[in-house]
Structures are given as structure tokens and as C-alpha cells.
Amino acid sequence: MSDAKFFQRGKIQELRLELNSDKKDRNYTRKKQTLKKIVANMTMGNDMSSLHPDVIACMSIPVLEVKKMVYLFLINYAKAKPEMAYEAIQTFRRDVEDPNPLIRALAIRTMGYIHVDKVTACLIQPLRHCMRDQDPYVRKTAAVCVAKLFMQDRHLVENAGFIDLLREMLVDSNPSVVANAVAALTEISERSDHIQLQLNMSIASKLVTALNECSEWGQTYILESLMFVVPQEPGDAEMLAERIAPRLQHANSAVVLTAVKVIVYLMNYMSREEDIHSMCKKLSPPLVTLLSNGPEVQYVGLRNILLVIQKHPEILKNDIKIFFCKYNDPIYVKMAKLEIMFRLASEHNVEQVLSELKEYATEVDVDFVRKAVRSIGRLAVKIESTAQRCVEALLELIQTKVNYVVQESIVVIKDIFRKYPNQYESIIGVLCENLDNLDEPEAKAAMIWIIGQYADRIENSDELLDDFLYTFLEETVEVQLALLTATVKLFIKRPTAGQDLVPKVLKWATEEVDNPDLRDRGYIYWRLLSTDVAAAKAVVLSEKPHISTETDNMDPVLLEELLLHISSLSAIYHKAPTTFIPHCKPRFLIPSPALRRQNYNAGRSLQHQDSYSSLQNSAQFQQSQSNNMRSPRSDGDDGGNGGLDEFVSSPKQPQHQRLSYHEQSFEQVAEASIGNQEYYEQKINAENPYRTDTGAVGGSQPSKGGGVDLMSFDL
Amino acid sequence: MIESLFVLSPTGKVIIEKHWHELIPRRVVDFFNDQVSKAMAEGEDVTREDVLPIIASPKYQLINVYRDGLTYLSPVTKEVDPMMVFEFLHRIPDIMQEYFGQVSETVIKENFVTVYQLLEEMMDDGFPLTTEPNSLKEIVPAPNILNKVITTMGATTSVSTRKMPNGMSNLPWRKAGVKYNSNEIFFDIVEEIDAIVDSTGKAVSCEAHGTIQTNSRLSGMPDLTLSFVNPRLVDDCSFHQSVRFNKWESDKVLSFVPPDGHFRLMSYRVNLPSQQNLPIQVKPSINIGANGAKFDITVSLRNTDGKAVENVVLTLPLHKSTSTLTAQCNVGQYMFDPVGKVLRWDVGKIVPRERAPVLSGSFGFGSASSEAAANAGYNIGVEFLINSHSLSGLKVDVLKLFNESYKPYKGVRTMTKAGRYQVRA
């Protein structure tokens, strides 16, 4: 009795006869079998659409299984043959009023999938009813259906009162209904140009109550929606985080990670250090537990952990062992673990980390080995007390003569030399033994840099450079630049040794090479050397800026943004979502009296300012959006066909609706407030004490009317 | 939000295709297959498991899960919570397992219509809907013998007699009206040890992951309370949604109304101290020369409470340039896979105070051997299990039943086994 037999290409005519047979068919068994065959054929890609009159005739059979198959058939073919859907409309009309809630729900669910205008038109009225249906299963299905409808026709949903109905559902007695309504609202808010979800504390509190009783997926929807709560007082943030914390122990890792996201977000609005500290303490164990799942979940977990620990270094600081790599971990997991190990490395655990890295450097996967070797070098730069041991480890690795290991080691040793000048030069001899095997530009350039930098210590530096110069014209620009500079250094340090080489290199760089960087650098050296050797010396041998692993840190502005996107694709790629996903709404920390000022360390005042102005820019973005609502835009790059069309076609009605809505929610602040940007902006105006500051720090604050200009601000 | 799903056969052919939003053309599957073969061609050690679970393409982000030879591929165009997608994708084979007993290309094809019906119920418009097996089975009947008889006899339940699915009750995980003649409930406490052990036998990292798998066959609406002798041992835990979290927080007991049938009641993690006595010690010594190596590996029991260790299997992946291997062992049997270059030693059962199993021999590198071969590190994967043993020492104290009057049969079993357990040589 397997379904495989249905796969034989049923002849259409045969199936039709079977469906229409007059034979006694108690309980529709035969009809069901035939429909199964049709569905099986359809999913295999055999065209069954010519059977539609016969299949649709089955819709009136009061057996759920039959109905489901007919609906599957309709969804599959309605797009190509809309007339087929027309024939079904009558039955849909009957089904949405069926006494059985399952059938009511199934009917609106199916209609939502059929993107045919006439069907959609018939859906609106029943959908409204279903949203207030007495049965929660129907209400919950209806909520999702609104989101579905929104994808088809945004204006319809925005103007036909569905948003308000969804908002009512947020206080539904059934938690699953609440969860689905929240999911639909979040979805709409993320896609819409002028609807922005914002929840106040009282609704947030109700949602959290529903959280305890709904399904795992419902929990992720509700948690996600809490990202749209802007706590006005630190106490609110603490209370909310405290109540969400039990979700960290859920079996579903999506629930766990979304809870982490919300808590990390709320910590921005907490004031007492001890609260933040105690929350950080709660975050560590569930993050560790994520890593006991399958590799995909581990991977997502690791990428997100890397973000979280950059913001809150105390999280996981004692759990470094969890990130040690197993030899049979998938490569992508190993790579992600390695980055976290490096970040968590400190004076306390550096010994363990180094011995792990040495272990990894003997594995077979080339990329992983390279990264391990590189990490040893970075570790030396990061933690001074361990530099000596790291250098020894690198020397050992060089002795293995494994080509890529040697090259990678030389690249990082260059950094170690830069960080700790005059400490490890004794190893130069060992490095020089490996010159012949270097074939990667980065390694070559590093080695050449070392020779140039220590031209006066390496006895035969002129010969070594001369060897490299032999192939100057074939090298990559990276290597050519290094050669040029190294030769000049040699000449300045040991004029007699370099006097033959310099003219040769300068001539090549300025006459034979097309690369402007190389040519310009060549000319600069040439002029310097020919006019003022002392100045040349001062320039070429000037003190190098200090290097540190700080440069590995993520730009704090980007980090801030990514933390609002924990558990999303952006957090995997570590790229702002707006850079790779079309029509994506940017997120930013919305100012409130409780928002902690972002305090990046003092040495980064410049970036501090940047982040500030970005905050301001985001606020401006909000403003510009709303300004655009007021005056029709002239530029063409409207995200969807959203705002402009609507505005032109019905300039007053939607705005009026929104305004009245705004009054309602803003004055009473009784329920969830889903406002348009205008509402949003006013809220910022009214409640953001930093707003004027922001203008002062960030420079020119455009006047309110200048919104259109601001659209040039490229997010 | 999940937009589409493709289930691909081991050869990359589409078995199942389902679109909740726009139709995503099958071209995307070709692109995906190309990416997979490209990734696997990158190195000789790269396997299908090494392929990234999220692959970017110009238009789609290809989120995929590889399980038992099948690929569950979900291309998305919008920002999405990948954790949710992975959780959902894993549910699909989980549910199929529950329905059909096993998951494979053939099984899916044999139960084609059921699979589509399940997918229809499991997701609506990209939102996961019903994924609890208990609720699903009420909506989509599982293909069991009884069902088949009913269908052939023509005695289908019609719509009017069908009950509301339980999806909306206060206990979405438990169906109503469960009845058993003999009421019983079984708990399987399984602890898996994840460890990295260095060549001296010292644990570099070591933790135990426990799960309590439960099989409940209890009538009505039983309300259970399970308590442990030493609950504070647990470092972190997560629960089935039936478990009342507050009770755990306050009293460290598990209070719950169980779903019917099999489910995972609790998972927990115990960090083991690094001086922890592991139950088994593997002592490898590998002396590598330019052309090959001599090795011997000894296995001995340590901390097993006098219990035997069973199903002991050691795997030693060798360098790709290895061409020959000779070995001998006093216990069990070994096998060298000359293609995958893996040495596998099936030790079997080790009883305390019997002679320690030893495998010794040598292997040689082929002509193409390089510095990398001579400098490569070796890792031994270790599998074993110990019955009636819990490494962490977690013990069930009592199980109390409320809300029902019968006295159920209660059973608890414990087992410790190796999880991701490896020894560095």
C-alpha cells in the first residue's frame, strides 16, 4: 500500500473516468485514491491541470482529506490558470462558513495562497470574520493569512483595517493566537515602508505572559517582537530581561538564541552594572549548550558568540575549552571556533591556547592549519608575556619545512618584529634559510620587509634582495612595493651595498610598471633621494605606528548594529543586512532616557563620534522617511512601489487613518502601538533628550523640511 | 521565514519540492549542487559534512542541512533566523522517522502523499505551524497497519466525527483520551562524553551531555513529578516544553504532563573537572619516520565502577599518502580502509581485570609522501558504551503521579557512552 505506485504516469483520461465513476463509493475511498494519484503526478511535474473541472467537483465532498488534496491541486495550478480558481470560489464561500473550524481555517489558508484577484477580493470579508472567529485555531490561521495577503497587496492590508484587527489579537486569550498575530505584525513591519512596530511595556508584559504557554515557534515570534520595545526606564529593561531569562533553557535553539538577542538588546537600557553582570552570567551556559547540537546549529551559535563576546567580554571568558577543536569537526566549525579562541585568549589561559594551536598546525586541512599558524602570531602580538613562546612555536613549525606552514609563519613573524622591535632578530638567520621556497606574494612581501628593515643586521641583505629583484617585473604589486621600499631602506642604511640596486629598481618602478601606486612611490623615493638624503632617511626609516590586535576588533558601529541582528543571516556573515538584502529595514538603538551612552574606549574618540553620527543619521533616516510621506518624492528609487503610489492615488485617506491612530496610541499608550514613521519621529522628538546633543556633535542638523535631500544618505 | 524547501537525494536530484511563497526555480538546486561539488573538490579531506550550511548565491541564501545522505535545502531571499530554519529542517526527518520508522529516498517516495500532507501541516506561509508529533498524528494519520485496514475497508472518519486537533488546547503536546491497559513509563538517562584527551591521558577538555529520553504510555492526563538525588550537579539544562520551569527553578524537580509516546524530557550538561577519571584510557604511541611509522595503542579501563565497557571501537585516520599497513591485535579485529585511509579497530567488550587490548604495527607512506605526512598529527576517535552507569552520577530519586488514580510501572535505565571523544597521539 505504498504511495510509490501512484507514480506510474496515470493517463489523464483514466483518472477522469475513475473520478466520475458511478460505482458505489462508500466513504469516498475510491475518490480519495484517485485524488492521491493525481496529487502524486502533479508533484512529479506531470501536467494534471486539464482535470480541473473534475477535481473541483470533489470540493463539495465533506471529507477533510479530500478537501486538502483538492486545495493542493488548486494552489498548484491557480497561478497559471486563474479561471480554475473562479470555479472554486463558490465552494470557498461555503467553506469559510462551515461549522467545522478546521474547514474554515483550511479555506482561508488556501485562499491566501491563490494569488488571483477575484479570489483575494472574496477573501477580505471572510478573513475579517475569521480574525474574530470564536475558534482559536481559525483566528491563529487568519493572523498568518494577513501577512500572506500583505505580500500580495500591501495597500489592501494597510487600508482595510487588518492592522488594527491584528493589534486587537495581541491581547487574545489564546497564546498561540497572540504569537501568530505578533509574527504577522513583525513581518509586516519589516517589509512596510510606513508601518513600524513599536510595543509599550504593558503590551510587552502581556506578551511575555503568553510566552510561557505557546509553542516553541510562537515563543520565537514573541521574543523577536520584544526587539521593538524601547524601555523608558532601566527598571523596565531589567524586569523584562528577568522574565525572558527562563527561555534560555529551552530545548529549541532558535528560542534560546532569540532570547539571547533580546537580553543583549535590553542590556543597552539597563543602568546598574550588577544587573548587566548578572545577565551576562546567565548568558554563558546556554551559549555553551548550543555547541552540543549538530554542526549547523553550532556554526550559527559560534558566529553569534563572536559578536556577543566582543561587546561583553566577560561572557564565556572562563569557558575557552568548549571552543577547542575536535579533529572531525567540519572545517567551517573549526574556523569559527578558532576565532573565538583567539578572542578569549588571555594571560590566564594563553598556555592552553598556544598548545592547542600548535596541535592544530599539524592537521591536514590546509586552510585550518594556516589560520592556526596565523593565530599563533596574533597571539604573540596580543599577549606580550607569551610572545617568546609563540616565536619558539613558530620556529618549530618552520623547521617542519611544510611549505605553506613556513610561508604563513613568516607572514606573522613580520608582525611580531613590528610589535616587539629589537627582541627576536636572532631568528632572522632561520628565516633566511627558507627564502627559496617562498612562492606566495604575502609571504614574499613579509620576508622582503624583514630584509629591508634589518638590512644593516643581515650581512648579505644586498645579495638576498638582489635575488628577489631578479624577477621584479613578474612579481605582484604587493611584492614590488615591498621590494622598492626594502631596496631604498638598504641604500639608506648601507649606501655602498645598495647603490647598484636602487637606480635599477627606481627605473623599473617608474618606467616599466603600469601600476600608479608603484610608479608614484618610485618617484617620491627618487626625488627624496636626489634632493635631501636626510629627509629621505627621516621618511623611510621613520618610527612605525604601533600595531596591536585591536585592529582585529570589529568596527563598533557595525558591531552595535549586528548585535540587534543576532540570530539572523547578517550575524553569520558579519555584514549589515542592508548591504546584502534588498529592501531591508535598518535597525538601530532607539534613544530613550534609559539608553546607556555608548562608551567606546578613549583611544577611539574618532570612532566614538562616528557611531554617534550614525545614530543621528539613523534618526534622520526616520525623519526623511516621514517627510517623504508628506511630500511626494521625485526620485525614482522607491523601495517597493509603496509610499509614492499610495500617496498619489489616495492622498488623504491613509494619512488620516494613521493620524487618528497615532492619537489613540500615543495619548493613551494603552496598547501596542504600531505607528507610522511620523508617529515614530514625534516620539523621538518628544522623548529623546539627546537629540539636540546629537545635532551638536554630528555637525549640521538638517532642518525638518530638508527631508528629500536626506534620501541621498545611503544606507 | 522559510520560503521553499527542496529535499535532495544523495545524487542531488529533487525528491520533494514545496513552495510557500513564490515559486523558486529548480535552477537554484543546480547551483547548489555545483557549489557542493566545488567545495568537495577543494581538498582530498573535504567531505559533504564540511560544506557550509549557509551558502550565498547572487539571489538566494542557500540554507541546507545534510542528514543521512539527504539534503534539506531551503533557499531564502530575505533576512531570516537561520537557527529557526535549521531547527525546522531537522524536524522534517525527525517527523518522517516518527511516521515511517526510517528516512531514505525510497521511504519518502513510498509515502509521498503523506509527506506532502505533513509539510502542509508543519508550515503555513513560512511560519512553522504544528511540529509536535502528537498533534500531527491527529491531523495526518500515520501509515500503520490499522490505518491501512481502515482505508481498505472504507471506514474513514468523516469530517463531522473528526475532533479538533489538540494544537490549540492548553497542552498542545498531549492528545486527549489516551488509554492504555497497562500504564507504564520509562526513562532512559543517556550520558555522552565529549572529550579531547592528550597522549599522556590527561583530558584537555571534557564534558558530559545527558539526555533523559522518555517513553510514556500513561492513560488520561497524568501529572508527574520527577526528582533527583543530586540535581545540583547539572551545569546547564533545557527541557521539553511540558516541563514547568518555575518548579525547576524553585525546587529542582521536573514537574510535567508528559506527551504520549517517545520524547526528550530534558537535556543537561555537566562540566567535568580536568582531573576527572575517564572510564577508559587509550594510550597511543606513534613514532613517525620519513617513510612511515611504527605504532602501538593500548586500551585500559579506569573508572567504570567495576562495569564492563562494551562496543569499544577505535578509529585512526591516517595520512592520505599512507600506502601500506601491517598490524596485529590481541583482542577484537582491525581493518584498514585503503581508500579512505582509516584504520578501524573493533575491540568489542572489555571486562575489568582482564588483559588490556593492544594493537601494534606499522604503516608506510607511498612515493608521493611529503613533509606534511611526516609532520601530521594523529587523532584517535573512540566509541564505547557502559550500561547502568552515569559518569556525572546523576540519580533519579522518585517519580510521583498526580491527577490519575492508577499505579504505573516505572522504569529507569542509565547508560554512559562516548560522544565526540578523541585521543591525540
Side-chain angles (χ1 to χ4, degrees):
Chain A
M1 278 294 289
S2 82
D3 294 346
K5 68 179 157 65
F6 299 137
F7 275 113
Q8 39 187 280
R9 258 172 177 272
K11 289 194 196 86
I12 302 249
Q13 195 52 34
E14 233 168 69
L15 288 168
R16 176 170 292 141
L17 283 177
E18 269 179 59
L19 263 191
N20 295 325
S21 138
D22 294 332
K23 276 192 211 149
K24 212 174 150 205
D25 187 6
R26 208 157 61 94
N27 291 315
Y28 309 102
T29 318
R30 210 174 33 250
K31 277 218 162 59
K32 236 172 12 190
Q33 293 298 317
T34 317
L35 282 169
K36 264 196 177 184
K37 281 185 212 168
I38 296 173
V39 170
N41 268 295
M42 176 181 89
T43 36
M44 275 177 72
N46 299 335
D47 186 9
M48 294 281 120
S49 58
S50 60
L51 282 171
H52 73 265
D54 315 271
V55 174
I56 288 169
C58 298
M59 252 176 110
S60 51
I61 296 172
V63 176
L64 194 60
E65 225 180 322
V66 170
K67 270 194 192 295
K68 276 188 184 160
M69 283 191 278
V70 178
Y71 283 162
L72 268 180
F73 183 89
L74 273 174
I75 294 169
N76 205 38
Y77 290 120
K79 197 159 195 188
K81 306 200 169 173
E83 68 280 2
M84 191 189 298
Y86 302 158
E87 292 167 32
I89 284 178
Q90 276 314 317
T91 327
F92 276 134
R93 284 214 168 113
R94 222 174 313 126
D95 283 357
V96 289
E97 307 207 327
D98 197 281
N100 184 328
L102 276 185
I103 293 194
R104 292 202 296 277
L106 188 63
I108 50 163
R109 207 169 125 193
T110 311
M111 287 168 88
Y113 277 121
I114 300 176
H115 299 190
V116 174
D117 287 347
K118 267 196 195 171
V119 176
T120 311
C122 290
L123 173 62
I124 295 175
Q125 203 46 38
L127 181 57
R128 264 198 214 119
H129 284 300
C130 287
M131 288 176 82
R132 290 179 165 156
D133 198 287
Q134 51 169 2
D135 190 281
Y137 185 77
V138 179
R139 292 203 298 277
K140 138 179 162 169
T141 312
V144 173
C145 197
V146 175
K148 231 185 273 183
L149 199 58
F150 181 82
M151 305 295 266
Q152 262 182 74
D153 189 343
R154 326 184 145 199
H155 309 148
L156 181 75
V157 171
E158 284 168 16
N159 300 332
F162 283 117
I163 304 290
D164 283 335
L165 281 169
L166 278 179
R167 211 181 58 201
E168 279 174 25
M169 289 169 115
L170 291 184
V171 288
D172 198 288
S173 58
N174 185 295
S176 299
V177 176
V178 175
N180 279 19
V182 150
L185 280 173
T186 313
E187 189 65 28
I188 291 172
S189 163
E190 292 287 283
R191 308 267 176 264
S192 166
D193 295 330
H194 27 73
I195 292 176
Q196 177 60 51
L197 184 65
Q198 195 174 16
L199 305 171
N200 61 32
M201 274 310 285
S202 88
I203 195 79
S205 173
K206 287 200 178 97
L207 288 178
V208 176
T209 311
L211 193 57
N212 299 328
E213 288 162 40
C214 59
S215 79
E216 47 193 327
W217 312 109
Q219 298 191 9
T220 56
Y221 308 146
I222 292 185
L223 285 169
E224 180 66 44
S225 76
L226 296 177
M227 292 298 285
F228 299 98
V229 178
V230 183
Q232 301 298 315
E233 284 166 35
D236 291 348
E238 284 144 25
M239 191 267 287
L240 214 48
E242 207 53 60
R243 290 182 62 192
I244 295 164
R247 299 301 119 201
L248 294 170
Q249 264 153 322
H250 201 282
N252 183 319
S253 22
V255 175
V256 175
L257 198 55
T258 313
V260 169
K261 159 157 72 177
V262 180
I263 291 175
V264 169
Y265 163 71
L266 289 173
M267 287 194 316
N268 288 305
Y269 295 90
M270 292 182 190
S271 62
R272 287 183 304 180
E273 286 303 325
E274 64 262 35
D275 289 326
I276 295 176
H277 179 70
S278 91
M279 271 300 148
C280 283
K281 247 178 146 173
K282 284 191 182 165
L283 289 179
S284 293
L287 286 173
V288 172
T289 302
L290 282 183
L291 301 184
S292 52
N293 287 293
E296 306 91 9
V297 172
Q298 282 186 48
Y299 177 63
V300 178
L302 290 165
R303 295 296 286 172
N304 284 289
I305 286 171
L306 193 53
L307 294 176
V308 174
I309 59 174
Q310 284 185 64
K311 168 90 182 183
H312 299 285
E314 59 176 301
I315 297 176
L316 294 169
K317 69 168 190 249
N318 297 324
D319 294 290
I320 194 163
K321 283 184 176 179
I322 299 301
F323 302 99
F324 289 176
C325 302
K326 309 238 158 55
Y327 77 95
N328 46 5
D329 281 337
I331 295 163
Y332 58 87
V333 168
K334 286 185 186 172
M335 295 294 226
K337 279 184 175 174
L338 205 49
E339 272 181 59
I340 294 175
M341 277 174 66
F342 173 72
R343 237 168 239 290
L344 292 179
S346 66
E347 295 276 355
H348 306 288
N349 55 25
V350 67
E351 204 138 335
Q352 281 173 307
V353 176
L354 182 59
S355 98
E356 281 298 300
L357 291 175
K358 277 156 78 178
E359 194 72 40
Y360 305 156
T362 66
E363 288 207 16
V364 282
D365 185 79
V366 177
D367 289 336
F368 182 57
V369 170
R370 281 176 184 276
K371 199 165 177 139
V373 174
R374 199 162 280 228
S375 301
I376 296 178
R378 286 166 69 200
L379 204 60
V381 176
K382 181 178 177 181
I383 302 169
E384 186 163 2
S385 64
T386 197
Q388 176 70 40
R389 269 169 297 160
C390 290
V391 170
E392 283 161 16
L394 288 170
L395 278 180
E396 259 172 57
L397 289 170
I398 289 176
Q399 307 292 2
T400 65
K401 306 270 180 209
V402 178
N403 192 281
Y404 53 85
V405 173
V406 174
Q407 309 215 40
E408 207 64 46
S409 306
I410 287 179
V411 172
V412 288
I413 285 177
K414 180 197 100 174
D415 286 340
I416 298 177
F417 281 173
R418 262 195 77 174
K419 168 88 184 183
Y420 309 109
N422 308 320
Q423 283 187 41
Y424 301 107
E425 283 72 16
S426 54
I427 67 170
I428 291 177
V430 183
L431 303 184
C432 290
E433 288 163 20
N434 292 286
L435 289 186
D436 297 341
N437 299 324
L438 302 184
D439 53 10
E440 290 164 18
E442 202 185 354
K444 269 190 188 175
M447 191 64 220
I448 292 165
W449 183 89
I450 293 171
I451 298 173
Q453 192 67 15
Y454 299 101
D456 44 349
R457 305 242 193 124
I458 305 171
E459 254 173 51
N460 59 343
S461 51
D462 50 336
E463 288 166 32
L464 296 176
L465 277 180
D466 200 21
D467 281 348
F468 277 113
L469 285 171
Y470 197 69
T471 50
F472 182 86
L473 292 173
E474 287 102 69
E475 299 291 354
T476 60
V477 177
E478 184 184 9
V479 178
Q480 288 174 333
L481 283 168
L483 273 171
L484 174 62
T485 305
T487 315
V488 173
K489 280 182 188 165
L490 169 74
F491 175 69
I492 290 174
K493 290 185 172 176
R494 296 169 57 196
T496 41
Q499 62 188 359
D500 293 340
L501 299 181
V502 166
K504 200 161 64 173
V505 178
L506 289 177
K507 199 166 154 47
W508 278 332
T510 52
E511 289 173 17
E512 309 260 333
V513 178
D514 291 334
N515 185 288
D517 284 345
L518 188 65
R519 210 173 46 218
D520 288 355
R521 199 188 280 188
Y523 278 126
I524 291 170
Y525 284 148
W526 200 322
R527 299 231 168 99
L528 270 172
L529 290 173
S530 53
T531 49
D532 185 351
V533 178
K537 190 169 181 177
V539 170
V540 177
L541 301 183
S542 66
E543 188 108 335
K544 304 285 172 301
H546 192 66
I547 63 162
S548 74
T549 48
E550 291 278 299
T551 47
D552 297 327
N553 288 345
M554 192 177 271
D555 166 28
V557 181
L558 177 62
L559 178 63
E560 201 65 75
E561 183 176 0
L562 290 179
L563 284 170
L564 298 173
H565 289 277
I566 288 175
S567 199
S568 72
L569 292 171
S570 351
I572 303 284
Y573 296 130
H574 291 185
K575 276 199 282 193
T578 38
T579 59
F580 69 103
I581 291 175
H583 316 309
C584 176
K585 261 194 196 176
R587 286 187 186 178
F588 55 93
L589 280 175
I590 296 175
S592 95
L595 181 64
R596 286 160 70 90
R597 292 260 200 152
Q598 298 312 304
N599 191 13
Y600 304 117
N601 64 46
R604 303 181 143 239
S605 58
L606 198 68
Q607 251 153 359
H608 176 77
Q609 216 163 11
D610 280 353
S611 80
Y612 225 162
S613 60
S614 131
L615 192 67
Q616 172 211 2
N617 279 336
S618 308
Q620 285 169 10
F621 176 74
Q622 293 296 321
Q623 182 189 10
S624 69
Q625 287 268 332
S626 56
N627 280 330
N628 271 297
M629 303 260 314
R630 250 170 265 139
S631 54
R633 233 178 303 170
S634 49
D635 58 76
D637 68 350
D638 183 7
N641 47 5
L644 190 57
D645 290 0
E646 185 198 44
F647 195 86
V648 173
S649 58
S650 60
K652 280 195 183 129
Q653 192 264 334
Q655 188 155 6
H656 175 71
Q657 185 205 355
R658 267 182 231 113
L659 271 176
S660 61
Y661 161 65
H662 148 73
E663 279 163 18
Q664 177 195 345
S665 62
F666 190 55
E667 304 301 330
Q668 301 169 1
V669 200
E671 281 184 7
S673 16
I674 303 114
N676 58 18
Q677 300 290 348
E678 188 174 62
Y679 157 62
Y680 212 63
E681 182 213 345
Q682 290 205 15
K683 188 142 175 128
I684 290 172
N685 267 332
E687 297 181 13
N688 174 13
Y690 303 141
R691 192 170 174 89
T692 43
D693 294 358
T694 326
V697 173
S700 60
Q701 170 84 340
S703 67
K704 253 190 142 187
V708 180
D709 299 340
L710 282 169
M711 278 314 283
S712 62
F713 175 56
D714 187 16
L715 279 160
Chain B
M1 294 233 304
I2 292 176
E3 293 164 50
S4 292
L5 168 79
F6 295 93
V7 181
L8 309 180
S9 74
T11 54
K13 276 209 199 109
V14 178
I15 314 173
I16 294 271
E17 179 180 353
K18 177 102 184 121
H19 304 277
W20 285 278
H21 288 179
E22 300 288 298
L23 190 98
I24 292 180
R26 282 193 179 195
R27 274 198 311 277
V28 76
V29 175
D30 300 332
F31 178 87
F32 173 77
N33 285 332
D34 286 349
Q35 293 300 110
V36 171
S37 23
K38 220 185 272 172
M40 285 169 67
E42 255 172 29
E44 43 190 16
D45 293 295
V46 182
T47 61
R48 176 62 184 84
E49 278 81 7
D50 288 317
V51 176
L52 268 174
I54 302 175
I55 298 173
S57 87
K59 197 167 168 202
Y60 305 101
Q61 310 297 325
L62 306 173
I63 305 184
N64 67 93
V65 162
Y66 179 72
R67 223 171 106 171
D68 303 325
L70 301 178
T71 301
Y72 302 82
L73 170 68
S74 171
V76 297
T77 53
K78 305 189 183 76
E79 184 58 284
V80 74
D81 177 353
M83 209 56 127
M84 190 165 116
V85 180
F86 287 135
E87 282 279 354
F88 181 78
L89 292 180
H90 273 291
R91 289 307 156 85
I92 298 168
D94 286 349
I95 297 279
M96 289 199 282
Q97 178 77 34
E98 185 86 17
Y99 264 75
F100 314 127
Q102 51 173 319
V103 183
S104 70
E105 188 178 353
T106 333
V107 168
I108 293 180
K109 283 193 170 157
E110 275 172 5
N111 297 285
F112 207 69
V113 177
T114 314
V115 172
Y116 270 99
Q117 281 184 338
L118 283 172
L119 287 176
E120 194 66 26
E121 296 302 332
M122 287 173 72
M123 176 153 280
D124 184 16
D125 194 39
F127 296 103
L129 197 63
T130 314
T131 49
E132 275 292 326
N134 266 284
S135 314
L136 272 175
K137 279 188 178 160
E138 288 191 11
I139 313 174
V140 181
N144 57 29
I145 311 245
L146 184 70
N147 262 327
K148 279 171 189 165
V149 173
I150 291 174
T151 356
T152 36
M153 300 287 287
T156 11
T157 40
S158 75
V159 172
S160 47
T161 61
R162 188 173 279 270
K163 282 195 313 289
M164 246 330 272
N166 241 324
M168 301 304 294
S169 82
N170 278 335
L171 305 177
W173 58 86
R174 187 170 177 92
K175 52 185 173 198
V178 180
K179 184 123 190 61
Y180 288 101
N181 286 332
S182 66
N183 291 291
E184 43 193 27
I185 182 160
F186 301 97
F187 298 94
D188 270 306
I189 305 182
V190 180
E191 287 188 355
E192 292 194 4
I193 311 172
D194 279 6
I196 303 175
V197 181
D198 69 13
S199 53
T200 64
K202 205 179 120 232
V204 176
S205 80
C206 178
E207 53 175 7
H209 298 278
T211 55
I212 306 185
Q213 289 290 350
T214 309
N215 184 8
S216 160
R217 300 167 59 78
L218 300 175
S219 314
M221 279 287 163
D223 199 329
L224 304 171
T225 302
L226 180 72
S227 56
F228 298 99
V229 178
N230 41 7
R232 288 182 198 278
L233 220 120
V234 166
D235 281 301
D236 185 38
C237 46
S238 56
F239 304 108
H240 186 267
Q241 61 169 322
S242 60
V243 175
R244 298 178 182 102
F245 187 75
N246 294 341
K247 280 272 200 233
W248 172 260
E249 281 286 88
S250 57
D251 309 338
K252 295 284 169 197
V253 295
L254 299 179
S255 161
F256 60 103
V257 176
D260 190 43
H262 293 274
F263 67 102
R264 176 180 290 186
L265 177 63
M266 173 186 183
S267 329
Y268 59 92
R269 186 167 54 78
V270 180
N271 294 325
L272 301 171
S274 53
Q275 65 276 19
Q276 170 82 30
N277 268 337
L278 292 167
I280 188 169
Q281 181 166 36
V282 177
K283 268 202 177 143
S285 102
I286 301 181
N287 293 312
I288 308 171
N291 304 315
K294 278 199 161 104
F295 67 92
D296 63 86
I297 304 168
T298 315
V299 186
S300 52
L301 297 193
R302 271 182 11 187
N303 176 27
T304 65
D305 295 343
K307 299 203 171 71
V309 180
E310 294 166 63
N311 300 6
V312 181
V313 178
L314 271 58
T315 36
L316 172 62
L318 299 171
H319 196 265
K320 292 296 162 207
S321 62
T322 308
S323 57
T324 55
L325 181 131
T326 52
Q328 55 194 24
C329 53
N330 58 351
V331 178
Q333 50 189 316
Y334 77 93
M335 218 180 67
F336 175 58
D337 167 10
V339 183
K341 313 286 185 195
V342 176
L343 173 65
R344 183 186 155 96
W345 179 22
D346 218 321
V347 186
K349 187 170 177 174
I350 307 177
V351 179
R353 286 177 297 280
E354 277 191 8
R355 62 183 173 159
V358 180
L359 174 77
S360 55
S362 60
F363 51 86
F365 302 130
S367 49
S369 76
S370 61
E371 281 94 359
N375 288 291
Y378 288 87
N379 285 286
I380 301 173
V382 183
E383 296 163 48
F384 60 83
L385 71 84
I386 310 169
N387 277 312
S388 315
H389 178 75
S390 128
L391 188 71
S392 70
L394 189 71
K395 263 206 179 74
V396 169
D397 188 10
V398 278
L399 176 74
K400 286 186 193 138
L401 171 78
F402 303 96
N403 205 27
E404 295 287 341
S405 52
Y406 53 80
K407 280 230 177 303
Y409 175 79
K410 300 172 257 191
V412 180
R413 274 193 307 194
T414 53
M415 184 202 284
T416 295
K417 58 184 199 175
R420 286 176 277 206
Y421 192 112
Q422 53 191 254
V423 178
R424 287 175 177 161

